[in-house]
Structure formats: C-alpha cells, structure tokens
Amino acid sequence: EEDIRRAAPATFINVFIIAGIFTLIDRVRRYYQITRPVKKIQEGLNQVMKGDFTTQLQKFSDSSYAYDTIIASINVMIKELGSVETLGNDFISNVSHEIKTPLAVMQNYATLLEAPDLTDEKRLEYAQKIMEQTRRMSFLITNILKLNKLENQQIFPQMEKLDLGESV
C-alpha cells in the first residue's frame, strides 16, 4: 500500500506527460493532413471568388485520396466557370455590337432628317430606314428576352413507352 502511494503521483505525471505527447502528435498530424490542405483549397477558392478562373488547385502528394478527388472536382468546376464567363463576355460583346449598329444607323438618318432643304420623298425614305432599324432592334431585344426566359426555364422530360422493335 505504501508503494502504491509513492508510485501514484509519478504514475499520474507519466500519464499526463504521455497524454501531452500524444496531443502534440495529434495536432501536428491534423495540421498536415487536414488544416494545411483545407487552407490551400480555400486559398484557391478565394482566387476563384475574385474572378480568377485560370486558377488550378494542385493535388497534394502526401494527402489522402479524398482531397485529391475534391481538388479534381473543383478544378473541373473552375474550368466550367471560366468557359461560362468567356461565353457571357462574348455574348455581351456581340449583343452590344448588334444593338449599336441599328442605333448608329438611326442616328445617322435622324441627323439627315434635320436638313432644312430635304425633299418630302427623302424625308419619307429616311423615316422608313429608321423604322426598319427600330424593328431590327426590337427583334434583337425580343430574342434576348426569349433567350433569358429559356435559360431560366426548367424543362421536365415526358417519359413514354417506346416499342423498340418498331423503331428498329
């Protein structure tokens, strides 16, 4: 009993030291296996959030398969976002050009209409040209609105039975 009383504090201190060592080892393990990869992934995602779609996350050679799978999926997502961004920019550029052209034509004919010595025949011709360009611009805007409506619309496929033998 006396030996147990003398050994108890030393045993407690040993257990406390061993627990501390294992806690330290666990923290180092967590840093390298969890915290560091997650921080690198977050840094890459922050770049994407800022609009940099050229960012590609690097796989970790010492990480688990799960991180490599996540990184591969994120890289595919970034590539797709970059494509969508490029398409959007091209679309806006093309639409701007297509709308600017009829506006320039209308502006030119409207300027010509201001001429005081213009004949009624020319005045009517210029007004018709302005109407043509107005219709063209209205058509463009209607198509843009239709495109927007289609983009926001959800399409649900209708399933029906098909006789494969008849089709063949």
Side-chain angles (χ1 to χ4, degrees):
E1 200 174 295
E2 183 67 29
D3 288 340
I4 292 175
R5 282 192 188 156
R6 271 185 295 156
T11 304
F12 178 74
I13 290 171
N14 287 339
V15 168
F16 188 73
I17 290 171
I18 291 171
I21 290 170
F22 280 118
T23 300
L24 183 63
I25 290 170
D26 185 54
R27 286 190 183 195
V28 169
R29 180 196 61 84
R30 273 197 238 173
Y31 173 76
Y32 283 104
Q33 290 185 345
I34 298 171
T35 306
R36 189 176 62 138
V38 169
K39 279 185 180 179
K40 286 205 172 233
I41 291 170
Q42 186 61 49
E43 287 171 5
L45 291 175
N46 285 340
Q47 290 296 102
V48 173
M49 285 179 7
K50 291 177 185 173
D52 181 7
F53 298 112
T54 61
T55 302
Q56 287 291 299
L57 302 179
Q58 299 301 317
K59 292 183 179 182
F60 297 98
S61 57
D62 60 341
S63 69
S64 69
Y65 174 75
Y67 285 122
D68 289 343
T69 304
I70 291 168
I71 288 170
S73 297
I74 289 172
N75 284 337
V76 168
M77 178 190 70
I78 292 170
K79 187 176 178 183
E80 290 296 319
L81 286 172
S83 300
V84 169
E85 180 77 10
T86 302
L87 284 174
N89 289 340
D90 289 349
F91 177 76
I92 289 172
S93 176
N94 289 335
V95 166
S96 298
H97 176 73
E98 290 298 321
I99 289 177
K100 197 173 181 183
T101 302
L103 282 174
V105 171
M106 288 187 293
Q107 185 178 17
N108 289 339
Y109 279 114
T111 302
L112 291 172
L113 280 174
E114 291 176 340
D117 58 343
L118 198 63
T119 65
D120 285 343
E121 184 179 296
K122 282 289 185 187
R123 196 175 303 276
L124 183 61
E125 178 187 338
Y126 295 161
Q128 287 173 345
K129 295 287 186 183
I130 291 173
M131 284 303 294
E132 281 177 31
Q133 296 304 315
T134 304
R135 284 188 203 102
R136 180 178 173 203
M137 193 160 41
S138 177
F139 177 75
L140 286 170
I141 292 171
T142 300
N143 284 341
I144 291 169
L145 291 173
K146 285 179 184 177
L147 181 63
N148 187 42
K149 185 177 179 182
L150 284 174
E151 189 175 277
N152 293 329
Q153 184 178 16
Q154 290 184 350
I155 300 172
F156 300 104
Q158 294 180 348
M159 309 253 309
E160 57 184 59
K161 290 185 178 185
L162 174 70
D163 183 3
L164 194 56
E166 183 179 309
S167 295
V168 172

